[in-house]
Amino acid sequence: RLGITTIKTIGMVKKIPIFGYSTLKTVAEQTPSQLPIFTIFPARKSEYNASLFIKNGTHVTRLSSDFVLTKDAIIKTMSKFKIPILVIGKISDEDVKKLQKLPLITVINHQPIYGKTLARLAQNCLTHKKTGSYKNLNPMYSHQPTIGQKKVIPQMQRQS
C-alpha cells in the first residue's frame, strides 16, 4: 500500500502515466518457459496467493483468477496436474522440497520481479496508446483486513 501511495503521488505531481500490474502475472511475463506457469507468493501465515498462466511466445494468457492456497493444500493441488507445470515465485524451502518430489513439477523459487520486465510492460502500454492514471491505480487484496473490528455501515447511510 505504501508503494502504491508513493507512485500515485509521483504520478500526480509529475503528471506522468502510471500503470499497475499484477505481481503474479508479471512473474509469468518474465518467465521463458512454455510450460503452464503456476505463480505463487506468500500471503498470510500458512497461505499463498497463486494463479495459473500459459505463455505462447511473448503472449501470456491468464488461466485462472488470483486465489488463496493454504500451505496444507499445495501438494494436494499440485499433485492433480497431469501435465508438466512450472511453479515459480517465492515459497518456503520446506514446500519446495515437497513439490520437487512430484514428477511433473519444476520449481523456481525466490523469483524477483525485474525492473526491465516492468519497463517493457509499461512501454507496451505507451506504444498501444493506453493511458495510465494515478486515479485508477488501487491495490488488490486476496484477504480482508483482520485487525480491528469490521465496520458496519447502517442501512440508511448505504442508500445515500
Side-chain angles (χ1 to χ4, degrees), residues 3-128:
I4 288 179
T5 300
T6 302
I7 284 298
K8 288 174 82 165
T9 302
I10 292 169
M12 182 175 61
V13 170
K14 297 283 190 178
K15 296 180 175 39
I16 57 176
I18 304 294
F19 301 102
Y21 300 101
S22 157
T23 299
L24 297 169
K25 187 173 182 191
T26 301
V27 168
E29 289 276 356
Q30 67 188 24
T31 302
S33 176
Q34 298 301 311
L35 295 173
I37 304 164
F38 189 88
T39 56
I40 186 166
F41 281 87
R44 288 184 180 166
K45 184 178 180 181
S46 299
E47 291 182 339
Y48 292 102
N49 289 322
S51 195
L52 188 61
F53 301 90
I54 190 80
K55 191 168 185 179
N56 185 0
T58 60
H59 182 73
V60 172
T61 302
R62 181 181 284 277
L63 299 177
S64 74
S65 55
D66 296 353
F67 59 93
V68 176
L69 185 65
T70 64
K71 194 172 175 77
D72 295 334
I74 291 174
I75 301 302
K76 184 178 179 183
T77 301
M78 299 312 295
S79 64
K80 291 180 182 178
F81 282 94
K82 305 292 184 212
I83 59 172
I85 188 161
L86 174 66
V87 176
I88 187 166
K90 192 173 201 177
I91 56 180
S92 73
D93 292 335
E94 173 190 340
D95 290 332
V96 169
K97 288 176 186 172
K98 291 177 186 176
L99 287 171
Q100 288 174 331
K101 291 179 182 176
L102 297 174
L104 298 173
I105 305 299
T106 301
V107 180
I108 299 175
N109 199 20
H110 303 294
Q111 180 64 40
I113 293 177
Y114 299 115
K116 65 182 181 183
T117 302
L118 292 172
R120 183 178 50 78
L121 292 171
Q123 182 64 44
N124 189 34
C125 287
L126 292 171
T127 300
H128 290 93

